[in-house]
Amino acid sequence: MNVRKIVTLVEEIRSEGGRPVSPPARVAVVAAVIENPWAGEGFVEDLGPGIEATASDVGALLAPEVLDALQAPAEAYGKAAIVGLDGEVEHGSALIHTLKFGDHFRKAANATTLLPAVEKRGPAGVVFDIPLKHITDATIRSHHQTTEVRIADAPHPNEIVIALAAAAQGRPQQRLAPLSTEQ
């Protein structure tokens, strides 16, 4: 795995809807800008070798970093794969939609649910939203949220941005009734 750079973003919301948020709501994102393991190979029928060579390593790299950046236990989480213009969306999906990748984050966060994800192809500086859901119950509405990310110089055409996001809480000032009230 060739990593060009790691980007860490931390958002701390101190006020929402004109009211203080206490404690402040924290969301952290850590993204690795990596060389696309299938770059320059044309259409690759079997993505398995690239998955084996990359997915676990990038998951092991990012999981502890995003939790360190959050500086609190994670209650919500998500992931992203943004592929440069010379790659395929399937390249990003191949890396993040495998237990080899996601289990690093699930174990580090004491989570049990599948990680919500975004995958897309785009130029350097493309904006993408990472969806987040509760780490043990994806039906907990208060934790359905997104965080917006942009890395000015990534991905290059032959790169993939792989990112993990974590929130220390649900949405600030959330007021929706539990899903069970509608069933």
Side-chain angles (χ1 to χ4, degrees), residues 26-107:
R26 291 180 64 87
V27 178
V29 177
V30 177
V33 180
I34 67 170
E35 181 180 8
N36 184 333
W38 302 281
E41 294 186 27
F43 187 86
V44 177
E45 189 68 40
D46 181 7
L47 300 177
I51 293 168
E52 286 294 323
T54 309
S56 182
D57 289 347
V58 74
L61 172 68
L62 294 176
E65 293 287 328
V66 71
L67 293 174
D68 286 348
L70 188 61
Q71 296 179 348
E75 288 188 13
Y77 66 172
K79 61 187 174 182
I82 311 305
V83 180
L85 294 176
D86 288 347
E88 301 172 37
V89 172
E90 189 70 3
H91 296 162
S93 296
L95 295 179
I96 67 169
H97 291 302
T98 173
L99 296 177
K100 293 173 188 318
F101 174 79
D103 275 354
H104 291 284
F105 201 9
R106 268 185 290 282
K107 288 176 185 168

Side-chain angles (χ1 to χ4, degrees), residues 48-164:
I51 293 168
E52 286 294 323
T54 309
S56 182
D57 289 347
V58 74
L61 172 68
L62 294 176
E65 293 287 328
V66 71
L67 293 174
D68 286 348
L70 188 61
Q71 296 179 348
E75 288 188 13
Y77 66 172
K79 61 187 174 182
I82 311 305
V83 180
L85 294 176
D86 288 347
E88 301 172 37
V89 172
E90 189 70 3
H91 296 162
S93 296
L95 295 179
I96 67 169
H97 291 302
T98 173
L99 296 177
K100 293 173 188 318
F101 174 79
D103 275 354
H104 291 284
F105 201 9
R106 268 185 290 282
K107 288 176 185 168
N110 296 313
T112 56
T113 59
L114 294 175
L115 283 145
V118 62
E119 315 88 318
K120 69 190 263 185
R121 180 175 37 230
V126 66
V127 175
F128 58 98
D129 290 338
I130 302 176
L132 292 93
K133 295 202 185 249
H134 194 277
I135 64 170
T136 61
D137 184 349
T139 68
I140 296 176
R141 289 179 172 173
S142 60
H143 288 61
H144 293 194
Q145 54 190 313
T146 60
T147 189
E148 184 177 271
V149 180
R150 177 182 178 272
I151 302 172
D153 69 341
H156 290 171
N158 67 336
E159 292 178 333
I160 304 175
V161 174
I162 303 291
L164 291 178

